[in-house]
Amino acid sequence: MPAVDRENDVPAPPSDPARATEPATTSDGDDDGRLTPGGPGYRRMSLALFLAGIATFALLYSTQALLPLVSTDYGSTEATASWTVSAATGALALCVLPLSALSERFGRRATMTGSLAVAVTIGLLVPFAPSIGALIALRAVQGAALAGLPASAMAYLAEEVRAKALVAAVGLFVAGNSIGGMSGRIVSGWIAQACGWRVAIGVIGVIAVVCAVLFRVLLPAPRHASAAPGARDATDTRALVRAVRDHLANPLLRRLYAIGALFMTVFGASYTVIGYRLTDAPYSLPQGLVGSIFLVYLVGTVSSATVGRLVGRLGRRGALYLAAGTTASGLLLSLAGPLVLVLLGLVLITAGFFAGHTAASSAVSHTATHGRAQASALYQSGYYLGSSIGSTLGAIAFRAAGWGGTVALGLLALCGVIVVTLYGTRAAVRATGATRAANAGTNAAGTRSPSTAHS
């Protein structure tokens, strides 16, 4: 009977005889040369991808905290201004799959480097957008450029990091995302209050340039990239279609993709609208303080970095239930009037979201046994599509029904997370029952064989 991966409820992938005979080639202590915590290669890799996560999220959501100022400058509505976020995340969702194929062809590190280089260049042009339409167009191009990084990073981690350390490594990358999202919004908020939103966006672009350069210097060259037949021909349309078809045929991967999209719908809606809520009466907070609200992202940094232990104790589905419940509690608490309760609600929303995202994304990397870049790309497509949908629908709901409308949208998405996870739980129970029945039948047949032979 093949080994079963308890965390993911799927058969464990067979060992690779060719890799099993490879000598250890690093000082990290792993017998096949993969990176493990404590080794110098692991530390360099972690810092490099942490910086890449900072640059990615700082650029991707650079306008989100500044939407009230953007609306005022261009005379646009909340829904129109929200497209400066939705266009970037939507373009990333559309482009992440084809760009992931380039990482199979040209390598993970080269693809990530090229993506960051184009994105930071666009970031330096964004402050000069003459109209809201031009700003949205530039942001769409920037999001498309960033598409080459997330899936390639997840595939790089799955190939270069020892399996037992994968959840922790993904957690560090996601923590970099949270730091980037937080620091970009805080810095831009205070600078925008003093100098305007255009200067603030320009400063974010310069910070991203520094992170991109350090990322390229620090990231170790890949040593265990997939060498499966046809991997170097992944830019061929048929090869790409085959990989996508295989992943979409996997029920567990389909559920993980849906969960990522639903979690991000909640998060995108909440953080796109919160600036409008806090700058309006009765709070009427200045832009600098509104940007500082994103210090709450530190909670996401902690929760994403500790999900590995949470999954170890509760299992993947248990961690997802807890994450969804925490996020829902935060949404309900944020309906309260006092500012301190609104902020506490944001804390719970952030902690739950990052825990759920880390658990789902690391399970994707662990489940896929081939075409990991495409598997991660499909997850990222759903994830950022959820962000785009959440940002736009969240703004529309806010305009129609206030913060309560945005909360209702988030709770509906979380109901979807629970339903999908419950379905996975039932599927796992049925699969376990079928396996036990098959084993019982095999054992019964084995015990009858001797008597049959003697008859």
Side-chain angles (χ1 to χ4, degrees), residues 277-306:
R277 185 186 185 195
L278 296 180
T279 54
D280 287 345
Y283 309 109
S284 302
L285 298 182
Q287 187 63 50
L289 283 179
V290 171
S292 297
I293 295 300
F294 290 90
L295 276 169
V296 172
Y297 264 52
L298 286 174
V299 176
T301 304
V302 174
S303 67
S304 60
T306 58

Side-chain angles (χ1 to χ4, degrees), residues 117-140:
V118 175
V120 298
T121 301
I122 298 297
L124 298 177
L125 299 176
V126 165
F128 302 101
S131 65
I132 187 68
L135 178 59
I136 292 172
L138 283 172
R139 295 281 293 144

